[in-house]
Amino acid sequence: MKSITRAKPMESVLNGLAGYDRVFIAGCGTCATMCRTGGVNEVAAMRKALEEAGKLVTGTLVIPTACDTLTHECMEQNREAMEDAQVVLVMSCAFGVQTVAGYAGRPVQPALDTLFFGLETEPGHFAEVCMQCGDCVLARTAGICPVTACHKGLLNGPCGGTNNGKCEIDSSIDCAWTLIYNRLKEIGRLDLMHAYCEPKNFQAMAKPGHIDISAEGGESR
Amino acid sequence: MRQTFREALQSGKFVVTSEIGPPKGTNVESMLHHIDLLKDRIDGMNVTDNQSSVMRYPSVGGTLYIQERGGEPILQMTCRDRNRLALQADILFAYSRGIRNILCLTGDAVPVGDHKEAKGVFDLDSVQLLRTIRTMETGKDLGGNDLDGAVEFCAGAIVTPEANPIEPQMIKFEKKVKAGAEFIQTQAIYDLENFKRFMEVARKFDVKILAGIILLTSHRMAIYMNKNVPGVFVPQDLIDEMEAAPKGTKVAKGIEIAGRMIRRLKEEKICDGVHIMAIGKEEAVPDILDAAGL
């Protein structure tokens, strides 16, 4: 499972850097490298683009796993170059951005948008399979999540927009409820689809999410 | 006193409903004209709810105008734009102002409309919305709290008889009937043989079926719908018939085809009525009714 990211348009990155002349760039060696949005090559390309836009890049770093606690030590080793910068441009998912922001002591700016937690279903292809809703329905949907895979998150079957097993909003996307129907049929459990599903508890998705399992009897909220 | 929509459904007569599209803005003149044109000729008038995810004058506002002018309004409610609090509040409001018929829909996806960055709500789905109405009729809200004054509605939903695959749609259809749908409006149908096969299944359920009729205005429109509108299938012979009609008589040909289909549905007792969706051609609905002998 990876945190899937997409590069913000260069124009948006430069708008965010307006007023800053000296920039430190931090990438990530894990998910963003796999997504080709914040690895060694992308960080080098960003350096070049920023220099062409008239910025001084005081240093670059590809943190092994930007959301990890070791990030602090990596940044310490590059403290001089980072302190010479007015802003840190972070080429990682939002988890990395938030971790870096805690140590940077200066403004940070995300260069990427974080899209979803994805499974790599084939090389270079990532699909969202779970959106951490806190109220799992997979038992009744043959292990395919309609909350995630149906554009509308419907719980009682397909909408009228489905066409030839594809989704109303994009004919390249499978209709989740067609997939669910096919698999339930295959495993002989269409009765699960016939059963009424109550409205979802949207407050089960803790916001902000927080869990403490350090103490015995620790619980989530 | 005029007949309520529920009475019309239960009377055994061939029921006719149509649709009013509210304006984009506050100029309701043309909507009122369409209401006056149709109110005495049909059994119920739907008002669409931000149809195709395009922001418009609200459906509940349209139903109040129909009510004032002596028509029988059917309030369309989608789950796209309101969470369960807002939906229930609007249901209370509609009831308090005399609205007695609701059509429950999921709602089109946000990106197909004109506010592409909006949040799609879908807190409830269409089956859950039907159940919500039935729950509120018992004097309770969805939170289990007492209502000071309950509601009572003739509630309906929709189905797409030409959907591919059809089986998942039929499971949902069955769930809608079990959740309390008294009537079902279908997506537009053009192939009566396919529709008869659908009706063989639908007939087994205690629910009135109104076949969806969309007026064809050109053969290009038919081709466009076949390609772009999920669950709509216009057979080739109808496309050819539209194409063969001389220029300037296309709408008249469409009216003739719609009238012919409605007449057959009625004479052969294939279903319980029709729901005519004129989509910008409301002026033609009386002509369709004339062509159908209604």
Side-chain angles (χ1 to χ4, degrees):
Chain A
M1 198 177 68
K2 294 284 177 266
S3 179
I4 308 304
T5 47
R6 180 174 59 201
K8 283 180 179 287
M10 196 59 202
E11 191 190 346
S12 157
V13 172
L14 289 174
N15 282 342
L17 293 175
Y20 296 122
D21 301 319
R22 299 191 311 282
V23 184
F24 183 86
I25 306 173
C28 174
T30 311
C31 305
T33 291
M34 206 165 158
C35 290
R36 298 177 207 146
T37 50
V40 174
N41 295 340
E42 294 77 34
V43 167
M46 179 61 81
R47 172 176 208 144
K48 191 160 170 268
L50 291 186
E51 285 171 351
E52 280 168 6
K55 306 287 182 191
L56 175 74
V57 177
T58 64
T60 66
L61 163 68
V62 176
I63 304 165
T65 304
C67 59
D68 194 274
T69 45
L70 289 175
T71 294
H72 188 198
E73 285 160 39
C74 282
M75 288 171 66
E76 278 306 311
Q77 287 166 12
N78 290 267
R79 180 142 298 276
E80 207 174 312
M82 197 174 65
E83 287 194 338
D84 194 25
Q86 297 158 302
V87 61
V88 181
L89 181 69
V90 188
M91 299 176 71
S92 78
C93 75
F95 302 95
V97 177
Q98 296 191 32
T99 306
V100 169
Y103 302 129
R106 58 208 4 81
V108 297
Q109 194 189 316
L112 313 180
D113 286 315
T114 306
L115 303 177
F116 55 88
F117 275 142
L119 273 187
E120 190 167 24
T121 50
E122 53 189 275
H125 183 98
F126 300 92
E128 185 181 22
V129 295
C130 174
M131 52 180 287
Q132 292 99 38
C133 75
D135 188 17
C136 194
V137 299
L138 288 172
R140 53 198 307 160
T141 56
I144 297 164
C145 178
V147 180
T148 309
C150 165
H151 175 76
K152 299 171 186 171
L154 301 180
L155 296 176
N156 278 296
C159 72
T162 177
N163 208 8
N164 299 319
K166 299 295 178 184
C167 178
E168 173 180 19
I169 61 152
D170 184 341
S171 59
S172 70
I173 298 174
D174 289 327
C175 165
W177 275 102
T178 305
L179 297 178
I180 292 168
Y181 169 81
N182 288 341
R183 194 181 285 171
L184 284 173
K185 190 177 178 190
E186 198 179 299
I187 62 177
R189 288 305 308 270
L190 277 177
D191 59 301
L192 291 170
M193 191 164 160
H194 281 274
Y196 171 65
C197 184
E198 294 281 347
K200 190 167 177 58
N201 175 9
F202 284 94
Q203 296 305 321
M205 175 162 36
K207 194 177 179 183
H210 177 79
I211 188 164
D212 182 359
I213 54 167
S214 60
E216 202 175 327
E219 58 182 65
S220 63
R221 69 158 172 85
Chain B
M1 225 180 114
R2 78 184 142 78
Q3 196 177 32
T4 66
F5 184 57
R6 183 181 269 160
E7 283 165 359
L9 287 172
Q10 289 171 351
S11 70
K13 68 176 279 202
F14 190 77
V15 172
V16 181
T17 61
S18 186
E19 233 166 61
I20 298 294
K24 180 85 170 179
T26 54
N27 180 359
V28 297
E29 209 174 300
S30 136
M31 175 172 73
L32 297 185
H33 171 65
H34 292 148
I35 291 171
D36 291 342
L37 198 65
L38 298 172
K39 66 183 166 71
D40 296 323
R41 291 205 63 180
I42 57 181
D43 302 296
M45 238 182 276
N46 282 232
V47 186
T48 53
D49 178 12
N50 291 337
Q51 190 172 27
S52 304
S53 308
V54 171
M55 191 287 294
R56 288 175 178 278
Y57 190 85
S59 58
V60 71
T63 58
L64 293 180
Y65 275 119
I66 295 171
Q67 180 89 344
E68 278 170 20
R69 298 169 99 83
E72 179 71 3
I74 300 172
L75 174 65
Q76 290 200 1
M77 284 191 114
T78 76
C79 299
R80 179 192 54 238
D81 308 323
R82 287 164 286 186
N83 70 4
R84 65 192 81 175
L85 277 79
L87 286 167
Q88 290 180 99
D90 283 357
I91 289 167
L92 294 178
F93 172 71
Y95 182 80
S96 75
R97 297 299 303 275
I99 307 303
R100 295 292 181 267
N101 313 300
I102 294 190
L103 184 82
C104 301
L105 306 143
T106 300
D108 292 317
V110 169
V112 305
D114 72 345
H115 285 64
K116 294 185 188 300
E117 297 188 354
K119 179 171 185 171
V121 179
F122 303 111
D123 183 24
L124 302 181
D125 64 27
S126 52
V127 182
Q128 293 160 347
L129 180 56
L130 280 161
R131 288 247 186 173
T132 299
I133 291 166
R134 297 307 179 216
T135 300
M136 293 173 79
E137 287 179 336
T138 70
K140 296 274 186 191
D141 69 12
L142 272 191
N145 310 293
D146 289 333
L147 295 174
D148 183 7
V151 302
E152 193 188 344
F153 285 101
C154 175
I158 62 161
V159 72
T160 305
E162 295 273 9
N164 176 30
I166 185 68
E167 295 85 354
Q169 291 288 332
M170 293 311 290
I171 292 175
K172 194 155 184 188
F173 164 81
E174 192 181 327
K175 285 166 106 163
K176 286 174 175 177
V177 177
K178 280 189 184 151
E182 293 163 67
F183 67 100
I184 296 279
Q185 294 174 184
T186 80
Q187 173 58 288
I189 54 126
Y190 292 96
D191 187 317
L192 291 191
E193 296 313 311
N194 284 353
F195 184 63
K196 278 186 192 169
R197 277 191 287 278
F198 162 79
M199 282 307 301
E200 277 169 27
V201 181
R203 275 271 172 251
K204 293 174 188 152
F205 296 91
D206 182 21
V207 67
K208 304 291 182 185
I209 307 284
L210 311 183
I213 303 290
I214 292 184
L215 174 67
L216 293 175
T217 54
S218 69
H219 74 282
R220 279 189 200 87
M221 174 199 179
I223 294 166
Y224 176 86
M225 287 199 298
N226 277 352
K227 193 163 171 241
N228 297 299
V229 183
V232 172
F233 166 65
V234 187
Q236 191 59 43
D237 58 333
L238 286 185
I239 297 175
D240 294 342
E241 196 177 342
M242 286 303 293
E243 192 171 10
K247 211 175 164 191
T249 67
K250 302 280 188 194
V251 174
K253 176 52 81 178
I255 291 170
E256 180 197 323
I257 292 171
R260 190 171 77 206
M261 281 174 47
I262 296 170
R263 195 185 285 269
R264 241 192 100 188
L265 289 166
K266 185 182 179 200
E267 282 170 6
E268 295 181 28
K269 295 187 168 51
I270 297 171
C271 58
D272 305 295
V274 284
H275 174 64
I276 304 169
M277 296 168 271
I279 318 179
K281 287 265 184 284
E282 282 81 2
E283 305 279 342
V285 175
D287 299 331
I288 296 173
L289 297 175
D290 291 340
L294 290 166

